[in-house]
Structure formats: structure tokens, C-alpha cells
Amino acid sequence: MSSKLLRGTFILTIGTILSKVLGLFYVIPFYQIVGAKGTLLYQYSYVPYTIFISVATAGVPLAVSKFISKYNSLEEYAVGRKLFKSGLMVMMVTGFVAFLIMYFTAPFLAEISLHGKKQLFSVNEVSTVIRAVSFALIVVPFMSLIRGYFQGHQSMGPSAVSQVVEQIIRILFTLVGAYVVLHTLNGGMVKAVSVATFAAFIGAIGSLAVLFWYWFKRKPHLDELLEKDKGTINISLKQIYKEILIYAAPFVFVGIANPLFQFIDQLTFSRAMATIASGKLADTAFSILNFESHKIVIIPVSLATAFSLTLVPSITKAFVENDQKSMNHQMNQAFQVLLFLTLPAAIGLSLLAEPVYTVFYEHDPLGIEVLGAYAPVAILFSLYSVTAAILQGINEQRYTILSLLVGLLIKLSLNIPLIKAMATEGAILATALGYTAAIIINLIVIKKYSNYPFRLVFRRCTLIVLLAGIMWLGTELTFTVMKLFLSPQSKVQSLLMILICGVVGSGIYFYLSLKTKLVYRLFGDKVDSIKRKLHLPI
């Protein structure tokens, strides 16, 4: 069973990472089709949608899979089927209600985003795009429950395949739809972006079709399990949903943390910027901050988030068994591997902001400046994900709600004054301060309730920072020399600069990691097996 579970977790992790990678890199062709104006309009609709979808579904697959797995281990298969049948109805209703709320509040959401000022788009235009994306809410909650049901039976393939299919269909529909509307049908930007956001609904339908196919294929096996049901536990639907809500609630708050910080920018950024710049410049800066730069910054964060969710079971097991040594080891690994991976990625992204922004979008001085300032915040995004996952592991998830609320309050209080003082960098600083406060609260709670000693992790993190600093010097020198021969204003030359600087930087970092034995302490025997495959001396 354990090997089956490990294989399943690996498949699901690969599917999740592939899905996220596709979801990040489609912005390159999308930006070329709709430009900065189109991405601004797209962003106005997608931040509210992300919040709605997080509330409607976040935690549902995990909560349902944990619940079903628990009762399957007791051979009470009928309990899981009972949840599945009623849950499908509940998710259909939840999704439809969420759709109606978002559809009919679209003018209000557009109004508070635009503040009634003279900007690039009218309230009606933003409302149209918000309404186009709201249709996905009908399908996604229903779909997430089916994924959770399969995961509860240790069947990760359906979730992984459906995620990838959903992204491929959504991206194809987004890119082809936007291109056809603008360049073949000669439609306007609002119609093109509406088609692009409606792609979320089309992608969800494709994913649902995959899940239905798996359901009909595997139903005979699931029915066989039902015949083996012991039937000794009779649990009411009220008890079932209470258990699921308790487990899912913290994931909702962790899932909506980033969209809520973005939504505060959506509500306040243009209003604050309009006092120090023109409305058009305010809109451009907002799009760069909340869409173009954010999409790049979130790349290393996605890997950290996927990693953090795999921690919960092992930390929970050690905590429940009161195995302090094992729990400390798991947490040490979590913090160190997180920093080992995200710190060099964030430094590299900040240092190479000019060629990276050029490759993804175009050579834009404001975009380059914002990306350079925003990239280090990726470390905070990742730390928040991991500390929240650890709180889940030690059964103190209620504090994730407190830490998030404190972080949001700091962001809301400081955003406007900092934007007025520092322009776009002010919004980035407010986000960084909000996340820092939330992380500090999470760390205090971890220390208090798990007696976790931070001494070792502090020493190792100091070493990681030192190695990353040397890597930065080497990469900075390489980048400076390369600028003598190559122009970061050209996409092809920028890509070449990224590749060469990336090889030099990662080479320095991993060489130093091997020499200091740090990489062995973090990854153990896996390092030797990788070196064998690369034919390197052990």
C-alpha cells in the first residue's frame, strides 16, 4: 500500500507541477496577442474569480480524500460513497450560487476596482469580462469533489490527468479565441479578453469529461469495495460535513491569501497612484504589478507550495505519535530545502529582471524595475505556504486565520501611504510587510506548540544565504560582461543571457553546496544517484 501511495503522490505532484508550469508560461504568447491593455482587463476579472473559486473549492479535494481514506482504512466504504453522492449535489448548488453572486455583483466589483476615475476601461467593459469568467464557478466545485473522491481511494491518476487536460484546453481556447477575435473577426479588446476568461469554463468541462471517463472505467472496482463494506458505522451527513469543513477551512484561508493581497491592490492601487501619476500610467503600473510581474514571481512559489502540501502527513504522523525527534527533522528539512531552492531563484530573478521581462513580454523600463523589486518577495510567499502547512500538521491551523488577517490588515493600512511615497514599489513593500507579519505569527505558534528549536535551521540558513551571496556576485559579474556583447532589448539575446547566467549561477551555487556538504545534509543519498546518472565523480 505504501509503494502505491508513494507512486500516486508522485503522479499527482508531477501533474500539479506540469499544470502550474503550463498556467505560467502561456502568458508569453497571450501578452503578444492582447498586449498590456488586454492583460490589465484580464487581471480585473481573474483576481475576484480566484477568490470566489478558492472559497468554493479550496481544501475540498484534500478534505474529501482524507475523509474517504480514513473510512476506507476501516473498511467502511459506504460512508465514502454516501459523502460522494450528497457531496455532488452540495457542490453543484455551491458552484451555482457562487456563479450567481459573482455574475450579479460584477458591476459592483468593477466599480470598486475602477473607483469611477477616468481609466482605460469603463465599468461596463470590466463587468462583461468578470461575468465571462464567472461561468467556470458552475463546474469547478463539482469537479473538485470527484478529484477528492479518487484521491481518497489512492487513485491519483484521474486528478493529475484532469488537471493537465484542463490547463491545455483552457490555454488553447484562451490563445486561439483571443487571436481569432482580434485578428480574424476584428472584434474589440473586451470581446477578446471575455473569450480568454470564458476559457476557464471550457477547460473545466474538458477536465470533467476526463473524470467521468475514469469514473465509468473504475466504477466496477469501486462497487466491489462497496460489497466488502463492514456496515458497523452509521454517520450522519451533518457529522460528515462538520468533519470536512473543519479540515478544509484552513486550506481556504491559505489558498486565498495571495489573491486577497492582490485584491487589496486592485481596490487601492489606481486610486493612490492617480494622486502622483496619470490614470493611464496608474493602470499600466497596476497591470505590471498584478499580472506581468506576479506571474513570473510566482514560478518558484508554485514549487514551494507543491512541496509544502506533501509535508503535512509526515509532520502530522510525528506529532500524533509524539515523536519530537522525527518532527524536528521534518521541519528542519522543510525550512532548509525551501530556502535552498527559493533564495537563489529569487536572487536570480531579481538580478536578471531585464532579460527575463523582455523574454516574457517586451523591454519595458517600468516592468523591469517592478520585477526586480518584486522577485525577493517570492521567498516570503513560499515561507508563508510552508509555515501554514506545518501549522496544519501540528493541528494548530486556526492560527493561519489569525496570521492572515493580521497580514491583510497591515497591507490594507500601509498600501495607500506607501504607494504615494514610493509608487509601485510601495505596494510591493506593503505586501512584503504583511506577509512578514503573518510568517512571524506562524513561527511563534510553531515554536510554542511543537517545542521546535530554530537553532540548527538558523545556522544552515546563514550558510545558504552566504552561498547565495557568492552565487549573486558570480552571476552579476557574468551579466555585466555579457551586456558588453549582447542587448537585453532583444528577445533572442535576452534568452541567451538568461541561459548563460543561469548555468554560471547554478553551477557556482551547486558546486559550493557540494563542497560544504550542504546538499548531502538536505537530500542525502539522492545526490549520489544523480551524480552517477550525470557520470560525475562521487
Side-chain angles (χ1 to χ4, degrees), residues 111-161:
E111 182 69 46
I112 60 172
S113 298
L114 297 171
H115 323 297
K117 295 189 186 301
K118 179 68 181 163
Q119 289 173 310
L120 287 171
F121 298 103
S122 68
V123 170
N124 281 343
E125 288 171 329
V126 174
S127 297
T128 302
V129 178
I130 291 173
R131 282 176 169 165
V133 78
S134 67
F135 285 91
L137 290 164
I138 300 170
V139 183
V140 176
F142 181 81
M143 180 183 71
S144 69
L145 183 98
I146 303 173
R147 282 179 180 167
Y149 184 73
F150 278 121
Q151 284 168 228
H153 286 86
Q154 269 82 54
S155 181
M156 308 298 181
S159 286
V161 175

Side-chain angles (χ1 to χ4, degrees), residues 153-403:
H153 286 86
Q154 269 82 54
S155 181
M156 308 298 181
S159 286
V161 175
S162 68
Q163 277 181 20
V164 174
V165 167
E166 180 184 5
Q167 280 288 36
I168 291 170
I169 292 172
R170 183 180 75 83
I171 289 164
L172 285 173
F173 195 89
T174 296
L175 300 178
V176 174
Y179 185 86
V180 168
V181 169
L182 283 174
H183 301 287
T184 307
L185 303 176
N186 297 318
M189 185 61 73
V190 177
K191 280 185 181 175
V193 177
S194 295
V195 167
T197 56
F198 186 71
F201 174 72
I202 303 297
I205 293 290
S207 173
L208 201 57
V210 170
L211 290 168
F212 279 151
W213 180 78
Y214 272 109
W215 169 254
F216 287 115
K217 187 182 170 188
R218 300 198 177 172
K219 192 172 184 295
H221 169 67
L222 295 169
D223 288 343
E224 278 175 30
L225 291 177
L226 206 56
E227 287 170 16
K228 296 174 187 173
D229 178 58
K230 279 186 176 178
T232 55
I233 295 176
N234 186 21
I235 183 168
S236 69
L237 285 174
K238 185 182 176 183
Q239 287 172 291
I240 288 173
Y241 286 116
K242 186 183 175 186
E243 195 172 329
I244 281 178
L245 284 172
I246 288 168
Y247 186 70
F251 282 103
V252 175
F253 283 92
V254 175
I256 63 171
N258 209 264
L260 283 175
F261 274 84
Q262 284 188 285
F263 194 57
I264 289 171
D265 280 327
Q266 189 161 319
L267 297 180
T268 59
F269 186 87
S270 296
R271 184 184 300 164
M273 276 291 283
T275 62
I276 58 169
S278 67
K280 187 178 179 183
L281 180 62
D283 278 344
T284 305
F286 171 70
S287 180
I288 286 168
L289 172 70
N290 246 20
F291 185 85
E292 284 94 2
S293 293
H294 189 266
K295 283 285 183 186
I296 301 172
V297 168
I298 218 79
I299 294 170
V301 181
S302 298
L303 296 173
T305 307
F307 166 73
S308 69
L309 291 176
T310 63
L311 293 171
V312 179
S314 52
I315 291 172
T316 304
K317 185 173 181 287
F319 181 74
V320 169
E321 293 171 359
N322 203 21
D323 185 349
Q324 188 73 40
K325 188 180 176 183
S326 173
M327 188 169 67
N328 288 349
H329 175 71
Q330 295 288 349
M331 290 191 197
N332 281 336
Q333 290 297 98
F335 287 121
Q336 290 172 66
V337 172
L338 170 78
L339 202 65
F340 183 79
L341 297 174
T342 53
L343 183 63
I347 288 173
L349 210 49
S350 183
L351 181 63
L352 302 174
E354 188 173 8
V356 169
Y357 199 90
T358 303
V359 166
F360 267 77
Y361 309 110
E362 60 186 334
H363 191 270
D364 178 1
L366 179 60
I368 293 158
E369 184 187 332
V370 171
L371 178 59
Y374 203 177
V377 184
I379 300 162
L380 298 177
F381 290 161
S382 304
L383 257 177
Y384 177 76
S385 294
V386 170
T387 53
I390 290 171
L391 287 180
Q392 177 80 16
I394 63 169
N395 205 28
E396 294 298 336
Q397 52 266 34
R398 57 195 165 139
Y399 286 102
T400 56
I401 300 166
L402 171 70
S403 65

Side-chain angles (χ1 to χ4, degrees), residues 21 85 93 232 246 266 410 432 453 526 532 537:
V21 166
K85 284 182 176 177
V93 172
T232 55
I246 288 168
Q266 189 161 319
I410 289 169
K526 291 174 189 170
R532 276 191 208 98

